[in-house]
Amino acid sequence: MNFEIARAAVEKYAAERDASGKRLLREVIPSTMGEPLLYSHFDELLELCRALGIPLNLTTNGTFPGKWGSEDAMGVLLRSCRDIKVSYLASEQFDGWKANVEKLVRVRDRLRENARCATVSLQVTLHKKNLHEVPEIVSWASAIGIDRIKWNKVVVLSVSSQELREMYALDDAQLESLRNEFRSGVYSALSVKHEGSLFFSDSVDLCAVGGKCESCPFADEVWVWPDGHEDHCPNPERRFGCGKNL
């Protein structure tokens, strides 16, 4: 995305106020369609949001490329963000993933001694191959001081092959069994909040592609594309599946 497009979008919504004069824009979320810390204008976006007093909500794969792997740079991110979510998917490909997350938490703890800073979360995309890892993930996250875990079930597009579905898709019984574990308090003694689409009352799979879902958890978000056009529906089925022409 050309940075002028990003700047225009942020400034446009930063200027909006409600009847009492309160700013409507709560945070800026750098795209999760790639690694935000590799965006060539990330420093400029960070500075723009800092100047406007708008926190970022950052989702990263945990590789912390270039300067972002240093404790000083992690401190900048923690002071500039409301929340930093580290995707668990990268742990399957990157040997240094756990060490980076633990470093981020240590920097957060030091900063919290003197000021408020971002929470550190894990974002776990649940699929058939990692479902058995849930107890280990929760135990490790609690031990190092992760603030919360977002449990999101894998979304398989309508155009995906049967082979892919069999390899990754979870059935309703498996998901309900996991939800029951959380409801029964299996993990309640551990100091981690549990959120995410696993606990949504309405299935994301039932979202009306091309229509407006009144119960959509993303209803208050605006998605700005690289060419500047805006979208109010993050449903991947609309973008990449059978509904892409709607």
Side-chain angles (χ1 to χ4, degrees):
M1 179 184 287
N2 181 294
F3 184 66
E4 291 311 310
I5 291 177
R7 179 193 298 277
V10 173
E11 291 180 342
K12 169 187 173 182
Y13 286 101
E16 293 189 353
R17 299 288 191 278
D18 64 15
S20 67
K22 182 181 178 181
R23 174 182 279 157
L24 294 175
L25 182 61
R26 291 178 295 172
E27 60 189 17
V28 170
I29 306 174
S31 172
T32 53
M33 295 296 289
E35 172 50 47
L37 297 179
L38 289 176
Y39 178 42
S40 57
H41 299 288
F42 188 83
D43 282 321
E44 295 167 80
L45 179 63
L46 201 64
E47 184 55 39
L48 172 64
C49 291
R50 186 183 305 159
L52 293 171
I54 302 169
L56 274 73
N57 187 327
L58 178 68
T59 300
T60 173
N61 62 19
T63 57
F64 292 96
K67 70 177 184 180
W68 300 111
S70 72
E71 293 192 359
D72 286 346
M74 286 183 174
V76 171
L77 293 175
L78 286 159
R79 288 190 293 269
S80 303
C81 295
R82 186 192 307 277
D83 182 55
I84 297 178
K85 289 182 290 297
V86 189
S87 173
Y88 184 73
L89 281 177
S91 69
E92 300 168 6
Q93 289 87 33
F94 176 54
D95 290 339
W97 185 86
K98 274 193 172 182
N100 277 351
V101 176
E102 291 169 359
K103 182 195 294 186
L104 182 67
V105 171
R106 288 197 301 271
V107 176
R108 180 210 63 189
D109 289 345
R110 286 202 298 270
L111 290 175
R112 279 183 177 172
E113 293 176 2
N114 300 306
R116 294 180 62 184
C117 67
T119 52
V120 176
S121 306
L122 297 184
Q123 182 153 289
V124 182
T125 300
L126 292 164
H127 54 77
K128 193 173 291 184
K129 290 188 174 184
N130 69 7
L131 195 62
H132 68 282
E133 298 175 18
V134 169
E136 180 184 346
I137 294 171
V138 174
S139 178
W140 173 72
S142 179
I144 69 169
I146 291 292
D147 294 294
R148 66 171 182 151
I149 304 177
K150 288 194 70 176
W151 302 99
N152 297 329
K153 73 167 188 172
V154 67
V155 175
V156 182
L157 298 177
S158 59
V159 295
S160 298
S161 67
Q162 184 60 31
E163 180 183 9
L164 190 69
R165 290 176 179 278
E166 292 175 356
M167 190 179 301
Y168 290 102
L170 294 165
D171 59 40
D172 291 340
Q174 290 172 308
L175 291 166
E176 187 60 23
S177 175
L178 180 57
R179 278 191 288 267
N180 285 335
E181 287 186 9
F182 284 105
R183 290 173 186 147
S184 64
V186 171
Y187 306 114
S188 61
L190 302 176
S191 57
V192 181
K193 292 181 180 178
H194 300 287
E195 300 176 354
S197 64
L198 172 66
F199 307 105
F200 287 177
S201 57
D202 295 319
S203 173
V204 177
D205 295 341
L206 301 179
C207 179
V209 176
K212 184 174 182 180
C213 310
E214 294 181 359
S215 60
C216 178
F218 306 104
D220 293 333
E221 296 186 4
V222 177
W223 297 63
V224 182
W225 288 73
D227 63 2
H229 87 271
E230 298 178 357
D231 194 353
H232 292 263
C233 179
N235 189 343
E237 184 65 31
R238 180 176 181 178
R239 288 188 251 171
F240 308 113
C242 290
K244 63 184 177 183
N245 294 319
L246 295 178

